[in-house]
PDB file of all heavy atoms in Angstrom:
ATOM      1  N   THR A   1      -6.433  -6.595  -9.763  1.00  0.00           N
ATOM      2  CA  THR A   1      -5.696  -7.709  -9.178  1.00  0.00           C
ATOM      3  C   THR A   1      -4.307  -7.260  -8.756  1.00  0.00           C
ATOM      4  O   THR A   1      -3.539  -6.727  -9.565  1.00  0.00           O
ATOM      5  CB  THR A   1      -5.595  -8.864 -10.176  1.00  0.00           C
ATOM      6  OG1 THR A   1      -6.904  -9.388 -10.435  1.00  0.00           O
ATOM      7  CG2 THR A   1      -4.718  -9.986  -9.634  1.00  0.00           C
ATOM      8  N   ALA A   2      -3.972  -7.465  -7.495  1.00  0.00           N
ATOM      9  CA  ALA A   2      -2.696  -7.017  -6.953  1.00  0.00           C
ATOM     10  C   ALA A   2      -2.593  -7.456  -5.504  1.00  0.00           C
ATOM     11  O   ALA A   2      -3.581  -7.893  -4.898  1.00  0.00           O
ATOM     12  CB  ALA A   2      -2.567  -5.493  -7.037  1.00  0.00           C
ATOM     13  N   VAL A   3      -1.393  -7.321  -4.962  1.00  0.00           N
ATOM     14  CA  VAL A   3      -1.215  -7.389  -3.522  1.00  0.00           C
ATOM     15  C   VAL A   3      -1.422  -5.983  -2.985  1.00  0.00           C
ATOM     16  O   VAL A   3      -0.784  -5.034  -3.453  1.00  0.00           O
ATOM     17  CB  VAL A   3       0.171  -7.919  -3.129  1.00  0.00           C
ATOM     18  CG1 VAL A   3       0.332  -7.920  -1.614  1.00  0.00           C
ATOM     19  CG2 VAL A   3       0.378  -9.320  -3.681  1.00  0.00           C
ATOM     20  N   TYR A   4      -2.310  -5.836  -2.027  1.00  0.00           N
ATOM     21  CA  TYR A   4      -2.645  -4.540  -1.461  1.00  0.00           C
ATOM     22  C   TYR A   4      -1.952  -4.367  -0.123  1.00  0.00           C
ATOM     23  O   TYR A   4      -1.993  -5.255   0.736  1.00  0.00           O
ATOM     24  CB  TYR A   4      -4.161  -4.400  -1.294  1.00  0.00           C
ATOM     25  CG  TYR A   4      -4.877  -4.112  -2.597  1.00  0.00           C
ATOM     26  CD1 TYR A   4      -4.987  -5.092  -3.572  1.00  0.00           C
ATOM     27  CD2 TYR A   4      -5.424  -2.856  -2.857  1.00  0.00           C
ATOM     28  CE1 TYR A   4      -5.621  -4.828  -4.774  1.00  0.00           C
ATOM     29  CE2 TYR A   4      -6.060  -2.594  -4.054  1.00  0.00           C
ATOM     30  CZ  TYR A   4      -6.166  -3.577  -5.014  1.00  0.00           C
ATOM     31  OH  TYR A   4      -6.801  -3.314  -6.210  1.00  0.00           O
ATOM     32  N   TYR A   5      -1.326  -3.216   0.057  1.00  0.00           N
ATOM     33  CA  TYR A   5      -0.592  -2.880   1.264  1.00  0.00           C
ATOM     34  C   TYR A   5      -1.135  -1.596   1.869  1.00  0.00           C
ATOM     35  O   TYR A   5      -1.627  -0.721   1.160  1.00  0.00           O
ATOM     36  CB  TYR A   5       0.892  -2.651   0.962  1.00  0.00           C
ATOM     37  CG  TYR A   5       1.622  -3.811   0.341  1.00  0.00           C
ATOM     38  CD1 TYR A   5       1.680  -3.960  -1.038  1.00  0.00           C
ATOM     39  CD2 TYR A   5       2.271  -4.750   1.134  1.00  0.00           C
ATOM     40  CE1 TYR A   5       2.363  -5.017  -1.616  1.00  0.00           C
ATOM     41  CE2 TYR A   5       2.955  -5.803   0.564  1.00  0.00           C
ATOM     42  CZ  TYR A   5       3.001  -5.932  -0.814  1.00  0.00           C
ATOM     43  OH  TYR A   5       3.681  -6.980  -1.384  1.00  0.00           O
ATOM     44  N   CYS A   6      -1.016  -1.467   3.168  1.00  0.00           N
ATOM     45  CA  CYS A   6      -1.241  -0.190   3.822  1.00  0.00           C
ATOM     46  C   CYS A   6       0.042   0.266   4.495  1.00  0.00           C
ATOM     47  O   CYS A   6       0.912  -0.545   4.843  1.00  0.00           O
ATOM     48  CB  CYS A   6      -2.400  -0.240   4.826  1.00  0.00           C
ATOM     49  SG  CYS A   6      -2.205  -1.370   6.221  1.00  0.00           S
ATOM     50  N   ALA A   7       0.187   1.568   4.643  1.00  0.00           N
ATOM     51  CA  ALA A   7       1.363   2.160   5.250  1.00  0.00           C
ATOM     52  C   ALA A   7       0.986   3.510   5.846  1.00  0.00           C
ATOM     53  O   ALA A   7      -0.057   4.080   5.513  1.00  0.00           O
ATOM     54  CB  ALA A   7       2.484   2.321   4.222  1.00  0.00           C
ATOM     55  N   SER A   8       1.844   4.028   6.712  1.00  0.00           N
ATOM     56  CA  SER A   8       1.562   5.271   7.415  1.00  0.00           C
ATOM     57  C   SER A   8       2.535   6.360   7.008  1.00  0.00           C
ATOM     58  O   SER A   8       3.663   6.100   6.592  1.00  0.00           O
ATOM     59  CB  SER A   8       1.617   5.053   8.930  1.00  0.00           C
ATOM     60  OG  SER A   8       2.922   4.682   9.335  1.00  0.00           O
ATOM     61  N   ALA A   9       2.088   7.589   7.144  1.00  0.00           N
ATOM     62  CA  ALA A   9       2.910   8.760   6.862  1.00  0.00           C
ATOM     63  C   ALA A   9       2.397   9.928   7.690  1.00  0.00           C
ATOM     64  O   ALA A   9       1.323   9.859   8.288  1.00  0.00           O
ATOM     65  CB  ALA A   9       2.891   9.105   5.374  1.00  0.00           C
ATOM     66  N   VAL A  10       3.159  11.014   7.712  1.00  0.00           N
ATOM     67  CA  VAL A  10       2.734  12.182   8.466  1.00  0.00           C
ATOM     68  C   VAL A  10       1.535  12.851   7.816  1.00  0.00           C
ATOM     69  O   VAL A  10       0.725  13.476   8.502  1.00  0.00           O
ATOM     70  CB  VAL A  10       3.890  13.188   8.659  1.00  0.00           C
ATOM     71  CG1 VAL A  10       4.986  12.571   9.504  1.00  0.00           C
ATOM     72  CG2 VAL A  10       4.447  13.635   7.315  1.00  0.00           C
ATOM     73  N   ASN A  11       1.402  12.742   6.494  1.00  0.00           N
ATOM     74  CA  ASN A  11       0.246  13.245   5.776  1.00  0.00           C
ATOM     75  C   ASN A  11       0.190  12.560   4.426  1.00  0.00           C
ATOM     76  O   ASN A  11       1.110  11.835   4.039  1.00  0.00           O
ATOM     77  CB  ASN A  11       0.265  14.778   5.639  1.00  0.00           C
ATOM     78  CG  ASN A  11       1.486  15.306   4.918  1.00  0.00           C
ATOM     79  OD1 ASN A  11       1.696  15.004   3.746  1.00  0.00           O
ATOM     80  ND2 ASN A  11       2.297  16.090   5.616  1.00  0.00           N
ATOM     81  N   CYS A  12      -0.886  12.795   3.694  1.00  0.00           N
ATOM     82  CA  CYS A  12      -1.085  12.129   2.413  1.00  0.00           C
ATOM     83  C   CYS A  12      -0.300  12.744   1.274  1.00  0.00           C
ATOM     84  O   CYS A  12      -0.294  12.191   0.168  1.00  0.00           O
ATOM     85  CB  CYS A  12      -2.569  12.125   2.044  1.00  0.00           C
ATOM     86  SG  CYS A  12      -3.589  11.014   3.040  1.00  0.00           S
ATOM     87  N   GLN A  13       0.340  13.878   1.502  1.00  0.00           N
ATOM     88  CA  GLN A  13       1.047  14.575   0.434  1.00  0.00           C
ATOM     89  C   GLN A  13       2.485  14.114   0.249  1.00  0.00           C
ATOM     90  O   GLN A  13       3.136  14.509  -0.718  1.00  0.00           O
ATOM     91  CB  GLN A  13       1.026  16.085   0.688  1.00  0.00           C
ATOM     92  CG  GLN A  13      -0.317  16.756   0.387  1.00  0.00           C
ATOM     93  CD  GLN A  13      -1.414  16.343   1.346  1.00  0.00           C
ATOM     94  OE1 GLN A  13      -1.255  16.425   2.558  1.00  0.00           O
ATOM     95  NE2 GLN A  13      -2.539  15.896   0.797  1.00  0.00           N
ATOM     96  N   VAL A  14       2.995  13.274   1.134  1.00  0.00           N
ATOM     97  CA  VAL A  14       4.381  12.828   1.029  1.00  0.00           C
ATOM     98  C   VAL A  14       4.512  11.791  -0.066  1.00  0.00           C
ATOM     99  O   VAL A  14       3.535  11.166  -0.498  1.00  0.00           O
ATOM    100  CB  VAL A  14       4.905  12.284   2.369  1.00  0.00           C
ATOM    101  CG1 VAL A  14       4.730  13.308   3.476  1.00  0.00           C
ATOM    102  CG2 VAL A  14       4.205  10.976   2.726  1.00  0.00           C
ATOM    103  N   ALA A  15       5.743  11.606  -0.522  1.00  0.00           N
ATOM    104  CA  ALA A  15       6.021  10.612  -1.543  1.00  0.00           C
ATOM    105  C   ALA A  15       5.839   9.209  -0.990  1.00  0.00           C
ATOM    106  O   ALA A  15       5.893   8.981   0.220  1.00  0.00           O
ATOM    107  CB  ALA A  15       7.439  10.788  -2.084  1.00  0.00           C
ATOM    108  N   GLN A  16       5.648   8.261  -1.879  1.00  0.00           N
ATOM    109  CA  GLN A  16       5.447   6.877  -1.478  1.00  0.00           C
ATOM    110  C   GLN A  16       6.595   6.362  -0.615  1.00  0.00           C
ATOM    111  O   GLN A  16       6.369   5.626   0.355  1.00  0.00           O
ATOM    112  CB  GLN A  16       5.283   5.998  -2.723  1.00  0.00           C
ATOM    113  CG  GLN A  16       5.049   4.531  -2.421  1.00  0.00           C
ATOM    114  CD  GLN A  16       4.821   3.709  -3.671  1.00  0.00           C
ATOM    115  OE1 GLN A  16       5.142   2.511  -3.691  1.00  0.00           O
ATOM    116  NE2 GLN A  16       4.255   4.315  -4.709  1.00  0.00           N
ATOM    117  N   ASP A  17       7.815   6.768  -0.946  1.00  0.00           N
ATOM    118  CA  ASP A  17       8.977   6.311  -0.192  1.00  0.00           C
ATOM    119  C   ASP A  17       9.008   6.857   1.225  1.00  0.00           C
ATOM    120  O   ASP A  17       9.777   6.354   2.058  1.00  0.00           O
ATOM    121  CB  ASP A  17      10.267   6.691  -0.915  1.00  0.00           C
ATOM    122  CG  ASP A  17      10.520   5.856  -2.147  1.00  0.00           C
ATOM    123  OD1 ASP A  17       9.819   4.834  -2.327  1.00  0.00           O
ATOM    124  OD2 ASP A  17      11.410   6.207  -2.932  1.00  0.00           O
ATOM    125  N   ASP A  18       8.207   7.862   1.522  1.00  0.00           N
ATOM    126  CA  ASP A  18       8.150   8.429   2.862  1.00  0.00           C
ATOM    127  C   ASP A  18       7.056   7.798   3.711  1.00  0.00           C
ATOM    128  O   ASP A  18       6.880   8.192   4.868  1.00  0.00           O
ATOM    129  CB  ASP A  18       7.957   9.943   2.788  1.00  0.00           C
ATOM    130  CG  ASP A  18       9.194  10.662   2.285  1.00  0.00           C
ATOM    131  OD1 ASP A  18      10.307  10.199   2.588  1.00  0.00           O
ATOM    132  OD2 ASP A  18       9.056  11.688   1.597  1.00  0.00           O
ATOM    133  N   PHE A  19       6.313   6.863   3.156  1.00  0.00           N
ATOM    134  CA  PHE A  19       5.430   6.030   3.955  1.00  0.00           C
ATOM    135  C   PHE A  19       6.250   4.925   4.617  1.00  0.00           C
ATOM    136  O   PHE A  19       7.243   4.452   4.063  1.00  0.00           O
ATOM    137  CB  PHE A  19       4.319   5.414   3.098  1.00  0.00           C
ATOM    138  CG  PHE A  19       3.182   6.348   2.797  1.00  0.00           C
ATOM    139  CD1 PHE A  19       3.295   7.316   1.823  1.00  0.00           C
ATOM    140  CD2 PHE A  19       1.988   6.244   3.493  1.00  0.00           C
ATOM    141  CE1 PHE A  19       2.254   8.181   1.542  1.00  0.00           C
ATOM    142  CE2 PHE A  19       0.934   7.103   3.215  1.00  0.00           C
ATOM    143  CZ  PHE A  19       1.064   8.071   2.241  1.00  0.00           C
ATOM    144  N   GLY A  20       5.818   4.512   5.781  1.00  0.00           N
ATOM    145  CA  GLY A  20       6.525   3.479   6.509  1.00  0.00           C
ATOM    146  C   GLY A  20       5.576   2.540   7.214  1.00  0.00           C
ATOM    147  O   GLY A  20       4.360   2.594   7.038  1.00  0.00           O
ATOM    148  N   SER A  21       6.150   1.668   8.016  1.00  0.00           N
ATOM    149  CA  SER A  21       5.396   0.665   8.768  1.00  0.00           C
ATOM    150  C   SER A  21       4.493  -0.150   7.857  1.00  0.00           C
ATOM    151  O   SER A  21       3.330  -0.425   8.173  1.00  0.00           O
ATOM    152  CB  SER A  21       4.576   1.327   9.889  1.00  0.00           C
ATOM    153  OG  SER A  21       5.413   1.987  10.813  1.00  0.00           O
ATOM    154  N   TRP A  22       5.029  -0.551   6.724  1.00  0.00           N
ATOM    155  CA  TRP A  22       4.272  -1.307   5.737  1.00  0.00           C
ATOM    156  C   TRP A  22       3.779  -2.630   6.304  1.00  0.00           C
ATOM    157  O   TRP A  22       4.512  -3.336   7.010  1.00  0.00           O
ATOM    158  CB  TRP A  22       5.139  -1.583   4.508  1.00  0.00           C
ATOM    159  CG  TRP A  22       5.481  -0.353   3.743  1.00  0.00           C
ATOM    160  CD1 TRP A  22       6.522   0.494   3.975  1.00  0.00           C
ATOM    161  CD2 TRP A  22       4.779   0.171   2.616  1.00  0.00           C
ATOM    162  NE1 TRP A  22       6.512   1.523   3.060  1.00  0.00           N
ATOM    163  CE2 TRP A  22       5.463   1.348   2.215  1.00  0.00           C
ATOM    164  CE3 TRP A  22       3.659  -0.237   1.908  1.00  0.00           C
ATOM    165  CZ2 TRP A  22       5.042   2.114   1.132  1.00  0.00           C
ATOM    166  CZ3 TRP A  22       3.237   0.531   0.833  1.00  0.00           C
ATOM    167  CH2 TRP A  22       3.927   1.690   0.454  1.00  0.00           C
ATOM    168  N   GLY A  23       2.545  -2.954   5.988  1.00  0.00           N
ATOM    169  CA  GLY A  23       2.005  -4.244   6.365  1.00  0.00           C
ATOM    170  C   GLY A  23       2.523  -5.341   5.462  1.00  0.00           C
ATOM    171  O   GLY A  23       3.329  -5.115   4.546  1.00  0.00           O
ATOM    172  N   GLN A  24       2.046  -6.549   5.711  1.00  0.00           N
ATOM    173  CA  GLN A  24       2.519  -7.707   4.949  1.00  0.00           C
ATOM    174  C   GLN A  24       1.814  -7.859   3.610  1.00  0.00           C
ATOM    175  O   GLN A  24       2.274  -8.611   2.750  1.00  0.00           O
ATOM    176  CB  GLN A  24       2.342  -8.981   5.780  1.00  0.00           C
ATOM    177  CG  GLN A  24       0.955  -9.615   5.728  1.00  0.00           C
ATOM    178  CD  GLN A  24      -0.112  -8.826   6.471  1.00  0.00           C
ATOM    179  OE1 GLN A  24       0.183  -7.898   7.227  1.00  0.00           O
ATOM    180  NE2 GLN A  24      -1.364  -9.205   6.266  1.00  0.00           N
ATOM    181  N   GLY A  25       0.712  -7.171   3.429  1.00  0.00           N
ATOM    182  CA  GLY A  25      -0.043  -7.226   2.196  1.00  0.00           C
ATOM    183  C   GLY A  25      -1.130  -8.282   2.225  1.00  0.00           C
ATOM    184  O   GLY A  25      -1.044  -9.278   2.942  1.00  0.00           O
ATOM    185  N   THR A  26      -2.166  -8.054   1.424  1.00  0.00           N
ATOM    186  CA  THR A  26      -3.239  -9.022   1.264  1.00  0.00           C
ATOM    187  C   THR A  26      -3.561  -9.136  -0.220  1.00  0.00           C
ATOM    188  O   THR A  26      -3.654  -8.133  -0.927  1.00  0.00           O
ATOM    189  CB  THR A  26      -4.482  -8.633   2.088  1.00  0.00           C
ATOM    190  OG1 THR A  26      -5.469  -9.664   2.007  1.00  0.00           O
ATOM    191  CG2 THR A  26      -5.084  -7.314   1.619  1.00  0.00           C
ATOM    192  N   GLN A  27      -3.700 -10.360  -0.704  1.00  0.00           N
ATOM    193  CA  GLN A  27      -3.884 -10.614  -2.126  1.00  0.00           C
ATOM    194  C   GLN A  27      -5.329 -10.398  -2.531  1.00  0.00           C
ATOM    195  O   GLN A  27      -6.257 -10.938  -1.916  1.00  0.00           O
ATOM    196  CB  GLN A  27      -3.467 -12.048  -2.466  1.00  0.00           C
ATOM    197  CG  GLN A  27      -3.702 -12.441  -3.924  1.00  0.00           C
ATOM    198  CD  GLN A  27      -2.758 -11.746  -4.875  1.00  0.00           C
ATOM    199  OE1 GLN A  27      -1.539 -11.756  -4.661  1.00  0.00           O
ATOM    200  NE2 GLN A  27      -3.309 -11.147  -5.940  1.00  0.00           N
ATOM    201  N   VAL A  28      -5.517  -9.619  -3.587  1.00  0.00           N
ATOM    202  CA  VAL A  28      -6.819  -9.431  -4.211  1.00  0.00           C
ATOM    203  C   VAL A  28      -6.724  -9.944  -5.641  1.00  0.00           C
ATOM    204  O   VAL A  28      -5.878  -9.486  -6.413  1.00  0.00           O
ATOM    205  CB  VAL A  28      -7.258  -7.955  -4.208  1.00  0.00           C
ATOM    206  CG1 VAL A  28      -8.526  -7.765  -5.036  1.00  0.00           C
ATOM    207  CG2 VAL A  28      -7.477  -7.475  -2.782  1.00  0.00           C
ATOM    208  N   THR A  29      -7.572 -10.891  -5.988  1.00  0.00           N
ATOM    209  CA  THR A  29      -7.598 -11.446  -7.330  1.00  0.00           C
ATOM    210  C   THR A  29      -9.004 -11.301  -7.889  1.00  0.00           C
ATOM    211  O   THR A  29      -9.970 -11.762  -7.283  1.00  0.00           O
ATOM    212  CB  THR A  29      -7.177 -12.926  -7.333  1.00  0.00           C
ATOM    213  OG1 THR A  29      -5.871 -13.059  -6.765  1.00  0.00           O
ATOM    214  CG2 THR A  29      -7.161 -13.471  -8.753  1.00  0.00           C
ATOM    215  N   VAL A  30      -9.112 -10.668  -9.049  1.00  0.00           N
ATOM    216  CA  VAL A  30     -10.397 -10.433  -9.698  1.00  0.00           C
ATOM    217  C   VAL A  30     -10.404 -11.187 -11.016  1.00  0.00           C
ATOM    218  O   VAL A  30      -9.585 -10.922 -11.896  1.00  0.00           O
ATOM    219  CB  VAL A  30     -10.653  -8.939  -9.936  1.00  0.00           C
ATOM    220  CG1 VAL A  30     -12.052  -8.732 -10.521  1.00  0.00           C
ATOM    221  CG2 VAL A  30     -10.495  -8.154  -8.639  1.00  0.00           C
ATOM    222  N   SER A  31     -11.304 -12.126 -11.155  1.00  0.00           N
ATOM    223  CA  SER A  31     -11.401 -12.925 -12.362  1.00  0.00           C
ATOM    224  C   SER A  31     -12.365 -12.275 -13.344  1.00  0.00           C
ATOM    225  O   SER A  31     -13.337 -11.620 -12.962  1.00  0.00           O
ATOM    226  CB  SER A  31     -11.857 -14.344 -12.038  1.00  0.00           C
ATOM    227  OG  SER A  31     -13.148 -14.347 -11.439  1.00  0.00           O
ATOM    228  N   SER A  32     -12.108 -12.478 -14.633  1.00  0.00           N
ATOM    229  CA  SER A  32     -12.919 -11.872 -15.682  1.00  0.00           C
ATOM    230  C   SER A  32     -14.072 -12.754 -16.088  1.00  0.00           C
ATOM    231  O   SER A  32     -14.167 -13.918 -15.733  1.00  0.00           O
ATOM    232  CB  SER A  32     -12.061 -11.541 -16.898  1.00  0.00           C
ATOM    233  OG  SER A  32     -11.449 -12.712 -17.404  1.00  0.00           O
TER     234      SER A  32
END
């Protein structure tokens, strides 16, 4: 359960802070 975001970077090895163009997010909720 979380808000899921996508973002872009030059490659997958960069730090999270080097990703940009973040989307608005989409809520995923998983009930037990």
Side-chain angles (χ1 to χ4, degrees):
T1 295
V3 178
Y4 283 71
Y5 301 90
C6 62
S8 64
V10 296
N11 59 63
C12 288
Q13 284 68 53
V14 305
Q16 181 177 151
D17 287 348
D18 289 326
F19 281 78
S21 299
W22 293 86
Q24 84 288 348
T26 185
Q27 177 71 50
V28 172
T29 303
V30 184
S31 61
S32 59

